[in-house]
Amino acid sequence: YAGYLWGGDTTAGYAAQTTSYVIQSGDAFNLSLLGAPWTFDSSWGAADATVHYNLYYGGDATTMGTTFASGFFDLGSGNSSPLTAFSISNLTAPGAADGQILGIAFYNSSGTGADNASTAAPDHSWLYIDNVSLSVAPVPEPTSAALLGLGTLTGILALRRRRA
């Protein structure tokens, strides 16, 4: 698996990565991943596992930077459930992000982060994620859009001429 995130723990429940991608004007991003809840010890109970994501710019290896898109995926509850696909599209970067490095962070907001040697809280959870994909959403080229519009206009004019 790409990562295990422990609920409520700010070190084991958090993962961030800056990429080498430089954000361009008008960029929008698609995010997809496979995820599943995982209860480490059945005596802890089965809490819902929720993975939050943040896309950011202006960060480095130690600082997250400025978040421009955030949200979460509810992975459900259980013990080693099968991986489920999650995705979201068109997370748009603001103009202030132009020329900045893109970063992504994940956080498991479920549970209390009680340490596993103690009596764990009933809402304690782990989750795992895999096959994380962050891609630039395709933007139609202005030339293609103009040609499509010109073809449609030509078709409409041809129909009007036939009827006349």
Side-chain angles (χ1 to χ4, degrees), residues 15-98:
Q17 176 71 50
T18 53
T19 69
S20 59
Y21 183 78
V22 177
I23 299 170
Q24 306 298 312
S25 178
D27 274 352
F29 301 93
N30 298 330
L31 170 63
S32 64
L33 59 87
L34 297 176
W38 184 51
T39 303
F40 200 44
D41 179 338
S42 60
S43 68
W44 293 357
D48 274 357
T50 306
V51 62
H52 285 256
Y53 62 84
N54 291 319
L55 297 185
Y56 62 89
Y57 62 91
D60 57 29
T62 59
T63 312
M64 193 163 84
T66 303
T67 297
F68 68 85
S70 63
F72 66 91
F73 300 117
D74 183 353
L75 305 183
S77 63
N79 195 353
S80 299
S81 298
L83 290 167
T84 303
F86 297 90
S87 65
I88 188 160
S89 300
N90 293 316
L91 301 167
T92 305
D98 293 355

Side-chain angles (χ1 to χ4, degrees), residues 57-153:
Y57 62 91
D60 57 29
T62 59
T63 312
M64 193 163 84
T66 303
T67 297
F68 68 85
S70 63
F72 66 91
F73 300 117
D74 183 353
L75 305 183
S77 63
N79 195 353
S80 299
S81 298
L83 290 167
T84 303
F86 297 90
S87 65
I88 188 160
S89 300
N90 293 316
L91 301 167
T92 305
D98 293 355
Q100 301 286 323
I101 300 295
L102 174 66
I104 186 167
F106 294 102
Y107 180 73
N108 179 356
S109 65
S110 15
T112 62
D115 109 31
N116 62 9
S118 67
T119 304
D123 60 345
H124 187 90
S125 70
W126 283 79
L127 60 84
Y128 48 80
I129 57 175
D130 201 356
N131 293 350
V132 174
S133 173
L134 181 61
S135 60
V136 179
V139 177
E141 296 178 37
T143 306
S144 299
L147 286 174
L148 180 62
L150 183 60
T152 302
L153 180 61

Side-chain angles (χ1 to χ4, degrees), residues 10 45 94 108 161:
T10 56
N108 179 356
R161 179 170 262 185

